[in-house]
Amino acid sequence: MGQHEKIATSLPVGVAEAVGASLAGVDAELARRYPGDPGTRQPVHTVYVPADAFDAGTVRTWGDEALAALDEHAPDAACLARVLGLSDELAEPVYERVRAKLTREPVEDLRVDFEDGYGPRPDDEEDEAAARTARLVHEAYANGTAAPYTGIRTKCLEAAVRDRSIRTLDIFLSGLVAAGGLPGGLVLTLPKVSYAEQVAAMARLAGEFEKAHGLEAGRIGFEIQIETSQSILAADGTATVARMIDAADGRATGLHYGTFDYSACVGVSAAYQSSDHPAADHAKAVMQVAAAGTGVRVSDGSTNVLPIGPASQVHEAWRLHYGLTRRALARAYYQGWDMHPAHLPTRYAAVYAFYREGLEPAAARLAAYVARTGGAVMDEPATAKALSGHLLRGLDCGALDDEEVARLTGLSRAELEGFRDPGRAG
């Protein structure tokens, strides 16, 4: 006790400074390319609605139809638990939270579709639809009925539809600005991207629009939809998707996997096109690694098996959708696509079961880490970040409540967010 160790060094004076200088470029590159997670809410799904079907009541209509499907095919917690295999412990809290979510906020992310779901139309018709969509989106945000995230998917930037894509984007964004400005939850999706140069072109369009309206540089971001084999592997054998993130010049917000276009592109027959096919797993794994640390989020695709028809058919489709969603969550794909209102019950059931199952173990491990009391698992800072991330995502979507998380962890939301970004710790 009280004895001080003799400290010796051997490196010449100035070596550390010289090493630092030699790595300054790398430091800057790491900060630029890998800023980390943005710390904002990530929606658990994206709902696609064709532009000609979108109206002021779309979000509420989806919620009402989802509730009607529950009423008809799973009128109580026990019934839904039997269909999906939920434990007795989870059945009631999951069912109650699903119904509450469908009443309060049935859609987290809405994309008005001008691409495959809309198809080719006369120019004057698409012009009108783009202007109408801008007006409806503005009104929805103004009156509080919008999904938290809302935007459009234009056609792609390939030669045949490029001018149409640019014009629709311009009309939509110009309409929003004229109506009062771009909403905070605005999301744009660029489909069928094959080359990084197409991403760079989209970034240029965003920049030109910002200049035209005096907007802050970088205000407009966009998602990149991965639907072609060329978006995963370039002709020279390199990973194209990593180039695309770089080509976006900081504007890329997400990579969205397109299940059916990608599957068809690599030759998967229609009967086997699914988000759990090995080809899909490979593509998403490449997306995931390319996006790691960049702040770009990865989204899974969809299932085209709709929960419609007699109860037996609906239940079978629900089990499929629930299983695919749980599988994606376990693989850290925290977002997916939903194609029909009756997909919403199983989307939220899967998400809520996932986060509620992990609540107590994650909270206990994080509390032990903070208290430095140890336990059956030895956790490191990176794991603490993952544990807090699980709890924060559960809070964002409504699977968990602030009170129960605080009770189990002894931490406030601000303190949880501090694990994600130590600079924000309170």
Side-chain angles (χ1 to χ4, degrees), residues 319-337:
R319 281 189 287 269
L320 173 65
H321 185 238
Y322 178 87
L324 290 173
T325 303
R326 287 299 306 261
R327 183 181 190 272
L329 289 166
R331 285 158 175 75
Y333 308 133
Y334 299 116
Q335 186 174 354
W337 297 6

Side-chain angles (χ1 to χ4, degrees), residues 326-402:
R326 287 299 306 261
R327 183 181 190 272
L329 289 166
R331 285 158 175 75
Y333 308 133
Y334 299 116
Q335 186 174 354
W337 297 6
D338 289 325
M339 309 300 288
H340 189 276
H343 279 139
L344 300 185
T346 38
R347 169 67 60 183
Y348 291 122
V351 170
Y352 289 179
F354 176 77
Y355 288 115
R356 293 204 67 78
E357 284 175 359
L359 169 59
E360 292 192 6
R365 288 175 64 179
L366 190 58
Y369 174 84
V370 172
R372 301 183 184 276
T373 58
V377 180
M378 180 69 73
D379 287 322
E380 297 185 354
T383 306
K385 179 178 178 179
L387 292 168
S388 66
H390 179 96
L391 298 174
L392 286 166
R393 285 188 295 272
L395 289 168
D396 283 341
C397 69
L400 310 177
D401 297 327
D402 288 320

Side-chain angles (χ1 to χ4, degrees), residues 201-215 220 251:
M202 182 67 168
R204 178 179 178 181
L205 289 169
E208 293 292 342
F209 188 90
E210 290 163 352
K211 289 179 188 176
H213 290 277
L215 301 175
I220 300 173
R251 296 181 185 272

Side-chain angles (χ1 to χ4, degrees), residues 85-101:
L86 295 173
S87 67
D88 292 342
E89 181 182 5
L90 284 174
E92 283 290 345
V94 166
Y95 190 80
E96 290 173 2
R97 286 169 187 271
V98 168
R99 291 197 69 93
K101 180 74 167 181

Side-chain angles (χ1 to χ4, degrees), residues 37-43 149 252-256 291 294-299 335 420:
D37 188 89
T40 55
R41 174 183 180 182
Q42 181 180 12
Y149 298 92
T253 59
L255 300 174
H256 283 230
T294 65
V296 178
R297 272 98 173 242
V298 175
S299 173
Q335 186 174 354
R420 183 160 53 192

Side-chain angles (χ1 to χ4, degrees), residues 2-18:
Q3 181 178 346
H4 296 285
E5 297 292 339
K6 182 178 180 181
I7 298 173
T9 62
S10 302
L11 294 175
V13 174
V15 169
E17 290 80 359

Side-chain angles (χ1 to χ4, degrees), residues 403-426:
E403 296 77 10
E404 64 182 342
V405 172
R407 174 173 52 81
L408 291 169
T409 63
L411 301 170
S412 67
R413 182 178 179 112
E415 289 169 323
L416 289 174
E417 290 174 345
F419 288 100
R420 183 160 53 192
D421 179 359
R424 297 170 60 190

